[in-house]
Amino acid sequence: LNNLKVKVSATIVMQHPEKDIQRAVRNFPHVRTALAKDINALEVLETKKILISKDALKVLQERLVRV
């Protein structure tokens, strides 16, 4: 995350829980993780940066198509 210059609130969106990422994120006070199947509009609006894995992006696209 330091390489990505994330110094503001950020959310990492994943398809499946990844323990290594969740453990690493605990070291950054303004960074949290979310699952693509569970993330909601409020979580998106409350964060300045969103990092989405390719697999999670596919899940989000499928969710939006169903709406």
Side-chain angles (χ1 to χ4, degrees):
L1 288 173
N2 286 333
N3 290 340
L4 296 173
K5 310 235 185 313
V6 176
K7 297 183 191 236
V8 294
S9 63
T11 299
I12 300 172
V13 183
M14 304 173 289
Q15 180 181 12
H16 301 290
E18 296 183 32
K19 291 183 181 181
D20 292 339
I21 292 176
Q22 291 173 328
R23 200 172 307 132
V25 164
R26 286 187 271 175
N27 295 320
F28 297 91
H30 300 292
V31 179
R32 61 184 171 193
T33 60
L35 295 178
K37 67 182 181 91
D38 298 330
I39 196 163
N40 60 51
L42 182 61
E43 289 176 298
V44 172
L45 292 171
E46 287 180 339
T47 190
K48 296 283 184 187
K49 298 216 181 225
I50 300 174
L51 305 168
I52 305 173
S53 71
K54 288 181 182 182
D55 294 333
L57 183 59
K58 290 177 186 175
V59 172
L60 289 172
Q61 288 172 333
E62 289 172 6
R63 280 182 58 192
L64 292 172
V65 168
R66 284 189 277 152
V67 172

